[in-house]
Amino acid sequence: MRFLLTDEQREFGRSLDALLTAADTPAVLRAWAAGDHGPGRALWGRLADAGVFALAVPEAYGGVGPLPVEAAVACVELGRHAVPGPVAETLAAGVLLAGAGGPVAEEWLPGIASGAAVVSLTLEGYGPYAPDADAADAVFTVSGDELRLAPDPGEPSASADPARRLFRPEPGGAPVAKGPAIRAAARAAGDWAAFATAALALGCGEELLRATVAYVKQRTQFGVPVGSFQAVKHRLADTLLGLEFARPLLYGAAVELASEVSRPGAGAGSAGGSPGAGAGSAEGSPGAGAAVAAAKVTAGEAGYAAARTALQLHGAIGYTEELDLAWWLRRARPLRDAWGTPSACRARVLAG
């Protein structure tokens, strides 16, 4: 099968690139890492106006989704510009709450779609940490067949990326939805979180490669650009190949997720059994899960390899925080490991 993005999808990506280029995201990142979320929330609102967060929210709740291919296009651009905030978690929460249905979906999904609500979450099997919980309006946790709203984001934990702070939510909180549908919705949300993180990692790797190619064209040694050395060319070519091999796997996973949405009877339904709740949500499946895992491990490893290449070819300047590139360098490894480590993803691919 030959797969190409449509003209509209490509234009969507270009419009996000233009928006984020004008937004000065390094300054937004520095403010976010320092605890000033104002510039980041303002940028979040502009992204919501462009329709980014509505892509995971069904039309019944004010969204336009779920649209996995468009979500991949958006997240690659957000990763390329290192947009701060729980992007993957908010998109996954849209899928989770749509599957839960009922009052909790009616309360939170319109806000997610409009950008008024920033959401983080934790799911069983993916670790205890909720990224950027201090900046979120809500932190959801899933335990078994219960969906809870965490009473407090908890204390921050050490993070390799200072603009992606990790919190362990306080236990407890009254259940906001329960029932078998929650398990199915959590599986789908886990797939979406891994899928969005893969796209963010791919975009991060692409920006690291772009910046490194530009740098080796300018830096000279023995009177010539270091980019003319064969060893440097080979390292950059290997990095490019890794990223380009990850891209079709990412969009292949998007097609799998889209097919889950469109199949008859898709949707996790309502945890409370109310008719029509959860319409348009995707229920995770082994096929989609394996495709997402393949995309996640490949994109994550490619993004991290791009960071290693960028650090080596930039030399000592690559270690300095004054260099904007440092924010992408520090983000690549956390994205590789978030929502499915490489070993966990490989195991899922082998399990089929």
Side-chain angles (χ1 to χ4, degrees):
M1 178 181 72
R2 188 182 183 198
F3 176 79
L4 293 172
L5 295 175
T6 66
D7 291 341
E8 291 79 6
Q9 290 164 340
R10 287 193 291 269
E11 181 57 35
F12 179 50
R14 286 191 290 266
S15 69
L16 291 176
D17 179 49
L19 184 158
L20 293 168
T21 299
D24 188 16
T25 52
V28 176
L29 276 165
R30 287 186 167 88
W32 191 276
D36 179 7
H37 301 135
R41 289 295 296 253
L43 178 58
W44 192 279
R46 293 198 292 275
L47 290 169
D49 291 341
V52 170
F53 303 108
L55 295 172
V57 176
E59 293 183 15
Y61 298 102
V64 296
L67 296 175
V69 176
E70 286 77 5
V73 172
C75 287
V76 168
E77 294 301 330
L78 271 59
R80 183 179 288 120
H81 291 273
V83 171
V87 173
E89 291 73 24
T90 297
L91 291 171
V95 174
L96 173 65
L97 296 176
V104 66
E106 295 171 0
E107 178 181 359
W108 288 100
L109 286 177
I112 289 175
S114 68
V118 176
V119 177
S120 191
L121 81 162
T122 65
L123 299 173
E124 288 183 318
Y126 290 99
Y129 299 110
D132 297 307
D134 60 329
D137 299 296
V139 178
F140 290 99
T141 64
V142 175
S143 178
D145 61 358
E146 290 188 340
L147 172 64
R148 296 175 180 266
L149 186 60
D152 188 87
E155 294 298 319
S157 300
S159 173
D161 181 359
R164 188 177 182 276
R165 303 176 72 195
L166 300 177
F167 292 79
R168 188 189 290 264
E170 292 290 335
V176 293
K178 60 175 62 178
I182 298 302
R183 292 182 184 272
R187 286 196 299 271
D191 285 346
W192 267 74
F195 168 70
T197 303
L200 292 169
L202 178 60
C204 179
E206 288 179 347
E207 175 57 22
L208 286 163
L209 178 61
R210 183 208 64 78
T212 305
V213 169
Y215 181 74
V216 299
K217 288 180 179 179
Q218 297 173 358
R219 181 186 174 191
T220 60
Q221 201 169 39
F222 308 116
V224 297
V226 298
S228 65
F229 300 155
Q230 189 175 44
V232 173
K233 290 180 180 179
H234 285 179
R235 185 69 184 264
L236 292 169
D238 289 342
T239 302
L240 176 62
L241 283 174
L243 294 168
E244 289 303 314
F245 272 110
R247 192 185 315 280
L249 289 175
L250 175 68
Y251 286 110
V255 171
E256 287 284 349
L257 288 172
S259 68
E260 285 299 301
V261 174
S262 61
R263 69 179 172 82
S270 166
S274 58
S281 62
E283 183 175 334
S285 78
V292 168
K296 175 64 172 57
V297 65
T298 309
E301 294 279 35
Y304 183 52
R308 293 173 64 88
T309 296
L311 186 59
Q312 179 176 4
L313 297 185
H314 275 81
I317 193 174
Y319 284 94
T320 62
E321 288 194 1
E322 291 77 12
L323 184 71
D324 288 344
L325 190 75
W327 295 98
W328 280 259
L329 288 171
R330 299 175 82 167
R331 178 154 295 196
R333 184 164 184 172
L335 288 177
R336 183 196 71 170
D337 295 337
W339 295 106
T341 63
S343 60
C345 289
R346 289 188 176 98
R348 191 171 187 187
V349 171
L350 291 173

